Amino acid sequence: MADALVQSAISHWAPRFVSNGVPLTDFEEVTRGLERWDDWCRAWSARAAIHEGLGREALADGFRFSAGEHLTRAAVCYHFSKFVFVADYAQMKAAHAKAVECRNLALPHLQPPGERVLIPYEGGTLAGNLRKPAGVARPPVVVMCMGLDSAKEEMDSNETVFLARGMATLAFDGPGQGEAEYDMPIRGDYEAPVQAVIDYIKSRDDLDPDRIGIMGVSLGGYYAARAAAFDKRIAACLSFSGPYSWVEIFDGRNELSREAFRVRSHSKTMDEAHEKAKTLTLAGAAMNISCPIYIVAGELDRLTPPANAERIAAEVAGPKVLQIVKGGNHVVNNRRYMYQTQAADWMARQLGVPNT
């Protein structure tokens, strides 16, 4: 029998792995062979290395498109090696470095290609991946906010739905996320890093600074909504399974999520983490969301119950769509077809993209 932490990861996140690019057979084989949480990162890194090897072989043979696919798959598997594996920091950092390396290798060979960007932020930088749709001059941009345990290397399947509809995507690691998690703790006023991202977009002449949307998944759904409340340069917002008040659902989260928040908020104790959780709230902010917002929740979400989405929708000032997906789990990864393309079409319309 697998230990409780392995069972918890499988129970809460299995659909997410597959919907974000992990082959179903890989998921079944790796998790079937796991009994101890201590072996999680090592086992997933070993599977990721198979995809990395295929990618490097394809690259050496000049098959760049295939290389991009293999390396992106490797990056996703390396990401899931580390996503909530915070107990062994050295092992987690090593797997994370491989995820970033593989995605960076893949970026120029994707269709459409991607570009690694460094965004000036409070004396340092935030790393992001920018992709632009083929044949579109100065496209609108969808800023993509990560969650508690996601990072930009996980976003390929989320990016493609916007790119196919003529929108650019800019997935970035904010404070407490991905490449920024080691030096910058989680912060509740996420409008600050988003402001830096939008300033960066405005500095480029190949993107349309007047047509900027934002999306976020899980805790990123909170971040996206929070940014939309304060930065009026945002024309439309997608919030998927975002909490209204993080502290109100914190104690009900599984042990892996709580510990990931403690580590990524740079808290020494769980009591300190609980206090920091209070700073992540839309109280007094949701009412300031005046741009159109599309809010999605899963009816059966155990991590962020749908009451959070209902509360956000009740308070926003602007036009809204509230979709609670029957039978949906967290971020509705088990029923993604019920909202992902619909939300992308909605965003395209808000940003003035012709129907495709």
Side-chain angles (χ1 to χ4, degrees):
M1 284 286 292
D3 71 24
L5 294 181
V6 171
Q7 292 181 25
S8 177
I10 295 169
S11 170
H12 284 98
W13 293 300
R16 170 182 168 189
F17 277 57
V18 177
S19 63
N20 283 338
V22 173
L24 176 59
T25 299
D26 279 10
F27 182 83
E28 292 173 339
E29 290 180 352
V30 173
T31 57
R32 189 185 303 128
L34 277 170
E35 295 183 358
R36 303 185 314 140
W37 179 249
D38 289 348
D39 297 325
W40 179 277
C41 187
R42 190 175 302 108
W44 274 107
S45 292
R47 184 56 58 108
I50 295 173
H51 297 292
E52 180 185 1
L54 292 169
R56 290 184 182 277
E57 181 181 343
L59 204 56
D61 290 339
F63 299 118
R64 292 175 295 176
F65 183 73
S66 294
E69 291 184 333
H70 288 303
L71 290 166
T72 289
R73 199 171 297 117
V76 171
C77 289
Y78 278 124
H79 166 72
F80 282 123
S81 300
K82 60 80 62 177
F83 78 128
V84 289
F85 195 83
V86 296
D88 186 333
Y89 217 58
Q91 196 178 161
M92 181 192 76
K93 286 187 75 172
H96 181 209
K98 292 297 290 183
V100 173
E101 178 186 350
C102 287
R103 185 60 169 169
N104 286 346
L105 277 174
L107 284 175
H109 310 300
L110 303 177
Q111 298 295 327
E115 171 191 354
R116 176 177 170 84
V117 299
L118 295 176
I119 300 160
Y121 172 72
E122 296 191 352
T125 58
L126 300 175
N129 293 333
L130 172 66
R131 296 177 70 188
K132 296 176 291 183
V136 181
R138 300 186 80 238
V141 190
V142 178
V143 175
M144 307 180 80
C145 301
M146 306 302 106
L148 172 63
D149 48 55
S150 53
K152 63 188 181 304
E153 289 72 37
E154 189 188 346
M155 289 293 110
D156 186 76
S157 64
N158 291 274
E159 293 165 359
T160 54
V161 294
F162 298 108
L163 292 163
R165 289 161 175 78
M167 294 169 278
T169 59
L170 178 47
F172 77 101
D173 293 331
Q177 302 165 324
E179 294 187 64
E181 69 184 87
Y182 310 108
D183 301 318
M184 304 177 194
I186 287 172
R187 59 186 295 174
D189 57 340
Y190 205 80
E191 61 272 17
V194 170
Q195 178 181 349
V197 173
I198 294 178
D199 288 345
Y200 172 78
I201 291 170
K202 290 177 71 69
S203 74
R204 296 183 62 119
D205 60 9
D206 57 346
L207 302 171
D208 189 341
D210 296 322
R211 294 189 292 163
I212 297 174
I214 193 167
M215 71 152 285
V217 297
S218 191
L219 188 55
Y222 158 79
Y223 290 145
R226 174 86 191 192
F230 290 95
D231 198 320
K232 299 308 177 181
R233 295 174 295 179
I234 296 171
C237 176
L238 298 171
S239 176
F240 302 152
S241 290
Y244 179 92
S245 170
W246 180 243
V247 74
E248 292 181 20
I249 63 171
F250 182 72
D251 292 334
R253 283 259 171 166
N254 60 69
E255 180 181 342
L256 293 170
S257 286
R258 293 196 306 274
E259 182 64 6
F261 181 81
R262 184 192 69 78
V263 170
R264 289 171 180 148
S265 65
H266 297 193
S267 301
K268 292 191 171 86
T269 66
M270 198 57 75
D271 285 342
E272 183 183 350
H274 195 273
E275 285 302 305
K276 289 185 178 178
K278 295 177 181 177
T279 68
L280 279 72
T281 180
L282 289 172
M287 67 180 69
N288 296 325
I289 300 174
S290 55
C291 71
I293 184 169
Y294 191 126
I295 305 164
V296 175
E299 176 195 29
L300 305 181
D301 189 345
R302 293 173 290 158
L303 296 173
T304 308
N308 288 267
E310 293 170 339
R311 193 172 176 186
I312 296 169
E315 294 190 14
V316 300
K320 63 198 173 193
V321 176
L322 172 62
Q323 183 180 5
I324 307 237
V325 179
K326 185 174 179 60
N329 70 349
H330 188 55
V331 197
V332 198
N333 283 315
N334 64 333
R335 302 276 194 279
R336 194 178 277 192
Y337 53 83
M338 293 296 297
Y339 78 92
Q340 188 180 40
T341 57
Q342 297 88 332
D345 290 338
W346 178 91
M347 178 62 82
R349 180 165 292 173
Q350 306 309 311
L351 299 183
V353 178
N355 289 352
T356 54

